[in-house]
Amino acid sequence: MASVAASPAFSLLRSTGAAATRARASLLPVPSSKSIISTRPPLGFSAVLDSHRFSLHVASKVRSVRGRGSRGVVSMAKKSVGDLSSADLKGKKVFVRADLNVPLDDNQTITDDTRIRAAIPTIKYLIDNGAKVILSTHLGRPKGVTPKFSLAPLVPRLSELLGIEVKKADDCIGPEVESLVASLPEGGVLLLENVRFYKEEEKNDPEFAKKLASLADLYVNDAFGTAHRAHASTEGVTKFLKPSVAGFLLQKELDYLVGAVSTPKRPFAAIVGGSKVSSKIGVIESLLEKCDILLLGGGMIFTFYKAQGLSVGSSLVEEDKLELATSLLAKAKAKGVSLLLPTDVVVADKFAPDANSKVVPASGIEDGWMGLDIGPDSVKTFNEALDTTQTVIWNGPMGVFEMEKFAAGTEAVANKLAELSEKGVTTIIGGGDSVAAVEKVGVAGVMSHISTGGGASLELLEGKVLPGVIALDEAITVTV
Ligand SMILES: Nc1ncnc2c1ncn2[C@@H]1O[C@H](COP(=O)(O)OP(=O)(O)OP(=O)(O)O)[C@@H](O)[C@H]1O
Ligand SMILES: O=C(O)[C@H](O)COP(=O)(O)O
């Protein structure tokens, strides 16, 4: 027996267990104009919960994403800011939590404004609909009020991108902020000072959350990069502000990192690299449940080699993860996943940009040498495997790409994904160093989706539910 309670404007789908595994999702446009995060059309939704003989076709406005929680598959479809009309927004004070945690150099100049540009569609939508935007973010990890973590350097770029003069408060709560909010015009934006200047933010202190919430009428969370943190401005405020909805960036991240990965166009390949297998166990295990092909690179491969009895010289190895590596290989086999380890590697005589280096087969690493990149044969084999795919997700570099001598493998993957993306393959870059690599190669613009979250994307790919997402209002309630 299934019952559905839905409002025309907001919808939520929640389902648990095997029923949800048969849900299907396809891509629909986000109501903002051109996205800087993605070049692909985003998700529409149609779900068939057929084990319960229940069919649900959701209206085009609904955004739905699914994640695997600790107790089975959980469907998370959240109310979206796009579901709020100008009647809902005009004259309303909207608390927008963004992740504007951008890198600044010693002169307080922004060195990468990606996160600011990514937050613009939501803010623009709100101001275009007559809302008064109270914008909040953290910057860095300050302990108390720290001038070098002030948000002042962000104001000019925000103003330029929004085409309006953004005001800034010197605090994020208190009387001065309240009076600035009171004088905010419709379509105006007030940037609050770094919310982490208060220790209560990271403690998710309810009184602090209440003070933040008291500034506004409703809440939009667009801070994907911080959605894995249960902080006052990401989670606590939702208890005091209704509706609490997802911004376009947050929604798009979920659409790709959960939606496209859970219901991929197949064949679906995952490429996982990075330094250590221990930091990627959760991701590998989770992706093994979903992908057809798994390509491994980076420092972690040497633990797999050693587990298979190969010599690894002085390469990075986690001795306590040898059994785990063996069990992951066995799991891939049992699941019919084609797991490819590099067949050759670039080895070096020291960990340095000017090291002597050579290419050797995986079975030919001598004592005194360490593997710092995948070799050309591996690139060829990986490319052939990737040529068969329709969806690819990539997390973690193939080698020490920060050093030119050991960057070829990572750059080859970046270029291959760009080529595939141009042919219509869905290509998702899962945050952190892989994003840095595609940017370095200059192919970021052609990928289907580049995540703005490092830790958050990793947690999502591990199948964890993010506190900043789960706290948002749901769109349609389905009780099965
Ligand atoms: N063979 C290797 N030996 C030692 N370090 C390596 C090797 N291959 C890659 N690395 C290093 O791994 C680091 C990235 O690993 P890490 O586990 O942090 O991945 P990651 O940052 O999580 O990836 P992403 O950010 O894309 O999720 C890079 O700094 C890179 O130099
Ligand atoms: O840069 C990030 O990953 C996010 O802004 C979160 O920052 P944090 O790791 O300091 O919470």
Side-chain angles (χ1 to χ4, degrees):
M1 176 76 187
S3 71
V4 179
S7 78
F10 309 130
S11 321
L12 155 87
L13 171 71
R14 171 183 291 279
S15 63
T16 55
T21 62
R22 283 193 275 277
R24 291 184 286 114
S26 58
L27 302 178
L28 232 217
V30 180
S32 64
S33 45
K34 184 171 170 346
S35 164
I36 49 158
I37 296 303
S38 161
T39 55
R40 289 273 167 271
L43 298 190
F45 186 79
S46 149
V48 183
L49 306 179
D50 47 358
S51 73
H52 294 269
R53 295 196 173 84
F54 172 67
S55 270
L56 174 67
H57 296 281
V58 186
S60 63
K61 269 188 169 181
V62 173
R63 304 282 187 277
S64 179
V65 283
R66 296 185 296 120
R68 188 177 294 271
S70 50
R71 283 175 292 150
V73 175
V74 176
S75 191
M76 296 187 294
K78 295 299 177 182
K79 281 182 192 173
S80 162
V81 67
D83 297 325
L84 301 177
S85 66
S86 65
D88 301 313
L89 295 169
K90 192 165 166 37
K92 292 282 169 53
K93 291 172 284 178
V94 183
F95 191 101
V96 178
R97 176 53 158 106
D99 185 335
L100 307 181
N101 185 23
V102 291
L104 298 174
D105 66 15
D106 292 344
N107 300 318
Q108 296 286 89
T109 303
I110 299 164
T111 54
D112 177 1
D113 68 355
T114 303
R115 282 178 163 176
I116 302 183
R117 287 184 289 113
I120 297 301
T122 292
I123 304 170
K124 199 109 182 60
Y125 180 79
L126 291 168
I127 61 180
D128 287 350
N129 283 288
K132 303 172 179 187
V133 173
I134 302 159
L135 183 59
S136 171
T137 180
H138 72 284
L139 180 73
R141 293 176 174 172
K143 299 280 167 257
V145 178
T146 317
K148 78 166 181 172
F149 291 121
S150 164
L151 301 185
L154 277 54
V155 175
R157 188 68 182 128
L158 266 171
S159 301
E160 188 185 352
L161 289 166
L162 289 169
I164 59 167
E165 189 193 337
V166 170
K167 300 270 183 226
K168 181 185 162 292
D170 292 333
D171 206 334
C172 62
I173 52 170
E176 182 232 10
V177 177
E178 284 159 24
S179 83
L180 285 168
V181 169
S183 61
L184 199 58
E186 289 182 7
V189 176
L190 175 69
L191 177 65
L192 303 182
E193 186 50 282
N194 194 336
V195 75
R196 285 193 185 169
F197 282 178
Y198 287 83
K199 62 178 182 328
E200 290 85 348
E201 161 68 357
E202 290 174 75
K203 288 188 189 318
N204 200 1
D205 178 273
E207 283 309 310
F208 180 66
K210 203 171 174 178
K211 284 180 192 163
L212 292 173
S214 72
L215 298 170
D217 303 310
L218 55 108
Y219 176 71
V220 177
N221 189 353
D222 211 19
F224 174 72
T226 325
H228 57 315
R229 310 285 187 216
H231 291 174
S233 66
T234 60
E235 201 265 351
V237 286
T238 64
K239 298 187 172 70
F240 306 102
L241 280 174
K242 294 289 164 213
S244 288
V245 304
F248 296 132
L249 171 65
L250 183 69
Q251 194 63 60
K252 190 180 292 171
E253 294 271 12
L254 297 172
D255 285 347
Y256 277 97
L257 293 169
V258 183
V261 169
S262 295
T263 52
K265 291 181 288 169
R266 292 187 183 276
F268 171 33
I271 310 169
V272 181
S275 55
K276 293 179 178 173
V277 67
S278 54
S279 63
K280 298 290 167 84
I281 298 167
V283 173
I284 294 174
E285 285 189 328
S286 174
L287 288 172
L288 272 177
E289 300 291 333
K290 302 174 184 120
C291 70
D292 306 299
I293 301 167
L294 179 61
L295 308 178
L296 296 182
M300 71 172 70
I301 59 173
F302 304 101
T303 301
F304 285 89
Y305 286 173
K306 184 149 186 188
Q308 291 177 306
L310 299 180
S311 304
V312 294
S314 46
S315 306
L316 191 62
V317 167
E318 290 173 278
E319 296 289 346
D320 60 338
K321 295 290 178 288
L322 296 175
E323 274 179 31
L324 173 84
T326 306
S327 79
L328 288 173
L329 293 172
K331 191 171 176 181
K333 196 167 179 194
K335 293 203 162 291
V337 174
S338 168
L339 188 153
L340 301 184
L341 280 165
T343 48
D344 61 346
V345 287
V346 181
V347 292
D349 57 359
K350 59 180 176 181
F351 189 87
D354 63 348
N356 292 309
S357 64
K358 59 184 178 181
V359 175
V360 298
S363 57
I365 306 175
E366 298 152 349
D367 284 351
W369 292 80
M370 63 182 78
L372 295 183
D373 195 9
I374 62 172
D377 280 346
S378 311
V379 168
K380 193 162 167 281
T381 312
F382 281 17
N383 282 349
E384 282 164 10
L386 291 168
D387 273 332
T388 67
T389 62
Q390 285 303 314
T391 306
V392 185
I393 182 151
W394 179 23
N395 177 276
M398 297 291 98
V400 184
F401 73 107
E402 299 92 337
M403 300 181 197
E404 256 343 289
K405 272 194 168 174
F406 313 111
T410 302
E411 291 178 7
V413 168
N415 281 316
K416 186 70 195 173
L417 263 53
E419 178 197 316
L420 293 174
S421 201
E422 276 168 345
K423 289 183 185 158
V425 174
T426 301
T427 52
I428 305 165
I429 314 300
D433 278 322
S434 329
V435 175
V438 295
E439 275 166 0
K440 185 177 167 220
V441 175
V443 292
V446 296
M447 302 300 175
S448 305
H449 182 70
I450 296 199
S451 180
T452 55
S457 65
L458 208 59
E459 291 203 13
L460 256 196
L461 291 176
E462 285 173 8
K464 292 183 183 160
V465 171
L466 308 183
V469 175
I470 209 77
L472 299 174
D473 297 356
E474 296 175 339
I476 296 174
T477 306
V478 178
T479 318
V480 182

